[in-house]
């Protein structure tokens, strides 16, 4: 700690001229000001009750400036494209766009298989959404298009709602692939429209903050589990197996078991093709890593592998001779727009919302990473709108839901991409392939696409190392990661995400319910107060107890706050109050008996009677001490003439009665005794007193208050005042003070004079005025 302070001081002095640095070392800083409670602080700072402007009034105002700002906000390309530096950025964007397109082609074909659709729809999803994002997006570096996690989520929907068993042909028990693909395409495109509607709607109502509920450990655990799902889904293409479509909880486990069961039925040609393609892709990636500094562009391993595999498949005849499944016909040209089917909305709405949130979470996470790296800002709400429009318009043009790819985004940045012009270039390249070159890939083996997908999962599979890093850094985040991963693996992608979010929020609630409570002590010669259990130099202020919680107090932890406070104070407050009430009640009963006896004797047969009351404070204290030692027994009474002379008094436990000439004097003393001195304090009652006279609550961590918090604070004031301890509050923020006022917390017994600007103010005031409230003295603090 000393080393860090010394280095910080040296850094500060290095920024100053030599003379100022030398003077800084010699200075001792003092702050002299009066002690400030909340009332004085508001007066000194001139608190103003600002009249909040009604923002809705400005919503309906129209002007050229406002219309122009709204247009640029929702169509950002108009803001940055006219200022595009062609000489500086165009070449880099062209090269980056070409590199991304080379990756986009094989990934589009492969990820369409993940979604359970014909490969050509992966090309459509690599063109329309990318161009739409070019117009509406605010991130300059992310590559929008097909993504493995999104594709496998779409595939779980299409395979669950349109399973193979629904399209079996009766005559030969084979699947009618044409009819099945038509239904699945309709499901996927309708799902894309719904996802787009959700994202656009959430973006327009500025709901971009929803992604904050998806923490980084949650997203990484989810994408890791999704990568496992992707890997398992490609096993049927690697081994050439016909597997039954499964969805719902434990579907992944059943699929793995079925793959293991049918391994003897694997097609040897398909397995060899997948292995060769996988080895080639891995070698090319290793070569790219080794030669990264010498190559202007990375070697397009996926594209070269696809071209080579297609040529070999066509020349050798892998499909006919070895039974290797190939992509098949890829229609050339674009398809006309098709309206979504509203009848499917009810069955797809739940899946659509989940996919919309996950897709946005992945896109905005990557977008913010690149924005921080290159020094610009990403608008989360506009990103929702841009991604939503990409999915909405793409769904109308036969695309399935998309997001952004981490691998392609890194390539786009590394190849010199500066803006979304690179995305536009890649989409135009994909358009050329759709129009003219797509049909050339009809003989491409599906096993090669599966191998490309599995090799590209390397980055997400590396996220398993998060377990070790989170174990060292934060065990709670590790728990979120593990629960998210296990829930997604066992319950599938949609239910797994729901379980992960609920668990993450419950863990936050649990952590606020069990914050760190501490008793503070003063660091000598400073106004700094630290936890006495953590800092050996921190010393408790004699007579003052300072209590702090690391979290805000609200309905979920208000009772725990009160319990921890009473426990850390070292006084059994509830038991002490209970004993005090019992003793006070006994005193009241004594006084009532004395008054009744006085009235009875004063009216008895005309005989003068006086009541001899032992009302001295010393005797009362001795009686109460005996009461506290022997609970449940009556006070010890003395009979002046002996026990035999007053059996009635002994039986009734009443004071001695004398007759005769002592009437007037003793009657007066009886009336005086009936009034009795104040014996309700702890010392007079013979109860142990707390070792402190003041309690200071450090409420600096309080960010808001609710009704339960207000009641708990009032109960703390009441309980500690019962045991003769004055309570003060310190370091409340202005919004919290306003909420205290709105909740009618302050009254005649609790005022703003009990609320101080800092803990040090409250401590000094408590030391100088333990049981009163005079004017504040001057505070001198050595800093």
């Amino acid at each position: 700690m000393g080393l860090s302070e010394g280095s910080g001081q040296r850094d500060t002095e290095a920024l100053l001229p030599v003379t100022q640095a030398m003077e800084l070392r010699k200075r001792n800083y003092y702050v002299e000001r009066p002690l400030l409670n909340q009332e004085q602080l508001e007066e000194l700072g001139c608190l103003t009750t600002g009249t909040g402007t009604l923002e809705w009034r400005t919503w309906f105002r129209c002007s050229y400036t406002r219309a122009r700002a709204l247009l640029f906000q929702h169509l950002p390309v108009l803001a940055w494209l006219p200022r595009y530096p062609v000489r500086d950025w165009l070449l880099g964007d062209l090269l980056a766009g070409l590199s991304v397109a080379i990756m986009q082609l094989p990934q589009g074909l492969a990820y369409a298989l993940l979604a359970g659709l014909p490969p050509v729809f992966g090309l459509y999803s690599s063109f329309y959404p990318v161009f739409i994002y070019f117009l509406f997006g605010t991130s300059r570096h992310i590559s929008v298009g097909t993504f493995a996690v999104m594709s496998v989520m779409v595939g779980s929907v299409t395979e669950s709602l349109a399973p193979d068993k629904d399209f079996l042909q009766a005559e030969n028990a084979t699947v009618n692939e044409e009819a099945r693909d038509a239904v699945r395409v309709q499901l996927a495109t309708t799902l894309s429209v719904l996802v787009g509607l959700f994202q656009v709607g959430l973006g327009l109502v500025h709901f971009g903050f929803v992604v904050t509920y998806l923490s980084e450990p949650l997203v990484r655990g989810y994408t890791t589990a999704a990568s496992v799902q992707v890997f398992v889904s490609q096993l049927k293409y690697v081994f050439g197996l016909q597997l039954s479509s499964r969805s719902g909880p434990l579907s992944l486990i059943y699929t793995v078991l079925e793959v293991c069961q049918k391994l003897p039925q694997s097609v040897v040609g398909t397995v060899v093709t997948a292995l060769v393609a996988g080895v080639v892709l891995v070698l090319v990636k290793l070569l790219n890593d080794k030669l990264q500094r010498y190559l202007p562009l990375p070697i397009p391993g996926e594209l070269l592998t696809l071209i080579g595999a297609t040529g070999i498949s066509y020349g050798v005849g892998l499909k006919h001779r070895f039974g290797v499944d190939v992509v098949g016909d890829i229609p050339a040209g674009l398809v006309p727009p098709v309206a979504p089917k509203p009848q499917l909305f009810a069955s797809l709405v739940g899946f659509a919302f989940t996919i919309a949130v996950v897709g946005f979470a992945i896109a905005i996470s990557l977008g913010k990473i690149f924005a921080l790296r290159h020094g610009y800002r990403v608008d989360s709400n506009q990103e929702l709108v841009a991604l939503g429009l990409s999915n909405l318009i793409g769904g109308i043009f036969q695309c399935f839901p998309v997001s952004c790819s981490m691998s392609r985004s890194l390539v786009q940045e590394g190849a010199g991409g500066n803006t979304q012009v690179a995305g536009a270039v890649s989409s135009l390249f994909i358009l050329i392939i759709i129009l003219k070159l797509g049909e050339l890939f009809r003989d491409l083996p599906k096993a090669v696409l599966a191998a490309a997908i599995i090799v590209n999962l390397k980055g997400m599979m590396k996220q398993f190392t998060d377990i070790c890093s989170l174990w060292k850094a934060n065990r709670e985040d590790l728990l979120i990661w593990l629960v998210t991963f296990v829930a997604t693996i066992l319950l599938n992608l949609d239910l797994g995400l729901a379980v992960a979010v609920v668990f993450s929020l419950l863990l936050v609630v649990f952590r606020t319910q069990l914050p760190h409570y501490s008793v503070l002590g003063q660091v000598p010669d400073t106004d700094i107060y630290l936890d006495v259990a953590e800092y050996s130099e921190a010393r408790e202020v004699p007579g003052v107890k300072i209590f702090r919680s690391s979290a805000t107090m609200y309905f979920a932890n208000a009772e725990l706050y009160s319990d921890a406070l009473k426990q850390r104070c070292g006084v059994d407050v509830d038991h002490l109050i209970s004993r005090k009430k019992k003793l006070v009640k006994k005193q009241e009963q004594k006084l009532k008996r004395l008054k009744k006896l006085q009235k009875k004797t004063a009216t008895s047969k005309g005989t003068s009677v006086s009541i001899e009351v032992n009302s001295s404070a010393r005797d009362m204290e001795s009686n109460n001490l005996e009461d506290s030692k022997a609970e449940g027994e009556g006070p010890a009474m003395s009979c002046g003439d002996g026990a035999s002379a007053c059996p009635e008094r002994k039986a009734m436990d009443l004071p001695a009665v004398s007759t005769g000439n002592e009437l007037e004097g003793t009657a007066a003393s009886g009336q005086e005794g009936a009034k009795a001195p104040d014996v309700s304090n702890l010392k007079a009652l013979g109860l142990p007193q707390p070792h402190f006279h003041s309690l200071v609550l450090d409420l600096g961590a309080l960010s808001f208050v609710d009704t339960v918090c207000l009641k708990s604070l009032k109960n703390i004031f009441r309980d500690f005042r019962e045991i003769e301890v004055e309570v003060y509050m310190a370091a409340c923020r202005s919004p919290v003070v306003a909420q205290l006022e709105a909740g009618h917390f302050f009254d005649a017994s609790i005022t703003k004079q009990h609320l101080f600007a800092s803990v040090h103010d409250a401590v000094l005031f408590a030391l100088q005025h333990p049981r009163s409230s005079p004017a504040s003295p001057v505070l001198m603090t050595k800093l």
Side-chain angles (χ1 to χ4, degrees), residues 313-314 316-326 443:
S313 175
Y314 176 77
V316 177
L318 292 180
K319 180 178 181 181
H320 303 292
R321 295 180 60 184
F322 300 100
V324 177
D325 196 11
V326 297
D443 291 313

Side-chain angles (χ1 to χ4, degrees), residues 317-374:
L318 292 180
K319 180 178 181 181
H320 303 292
R321 295 180 60 184
F322 300 100
V324 177
D325 196 11
V326 297
V327 169
D329 291 332
I330 298 179
L334 299 173
V335 294
V338 177
K341 195 173 181 181
Q343 293 84 351
L344 298 175
F345 284 178
S347 57
L348 294 175
V349 63
F351 301 109
F353 184 79
T354 303
I355 294 174
V357 173
V358 173
F360 171 63
I362 295 169
I364 195 64
S365 300
L366 283 177
K368 287 186 175 180
I369 289 173
F370 289 114
L372 288 174
R373 188 180 299 175
H374 293 275

Side-chain angles (χ1 to χ4, degrees), residues 234-235 237-240 267-282 305 318 324 445-452 454-455:
Q234 295 306 293
L235 293 179
Y237 298 112
V238 171
F239 295 103
V267 179
V268 178
T270 302
V271 176
V272 172
T273 302
L275 286 176
V276 172
V279 170
V280 171
L281 288 170
V282 170
T305 303
L318 292 180
V324 177
K446 291 183 178 179
V448 175
L449 294 177
I454 293 174
V455 171

Side-chain angles (χ1 to χ4, degrees), residues 114 116 410 539 573:
L114 279 179
L410 291 173
R539 298 284 186 269
V573 178

Side-chain angles (χ1 to χ4, degrees), residues 34-102:
L35 295 178
L36 295 175
N37 58 36
Q38 186 63 29
E39 285 184 349
Q40 296 163 341
L41 182 63
E42 291 176 359
E43 182 179 355
L44 181 65
C46 299
L47 177 67
T48 58
T49 56
T51 57
T53 59
L54 298 178
E55 295 185 0
W56 61 269
R57 292 182 178 177
T58 63
W59 295 349
F60 302 101
R61 294 177 183 173
C62 186
S63 64
Y64 171 78
T65 304
R66 181 173 173 79
R68 186 171 179 270
L70 285 175
L71 182 62
F72 284 177
Q73 178 184 352
H74 295 292
L75 198 61
V77 68
L78 297 179
W80 61 264
L81 190 59
R83 297 176 296 176
Y84 181 79
V86 177
R87 292 184 178 179
D88 297 332
W89 286 1
L90 182 59
L91 180 60
D93 283 337
L94 288 175
L95 294 176
L98 181 62
S99 302
V100 170
I102 291 173

Side-chain angles (χ1 to χ4, degrees), residues 219 561 742:
V219 172
Y561 180 94

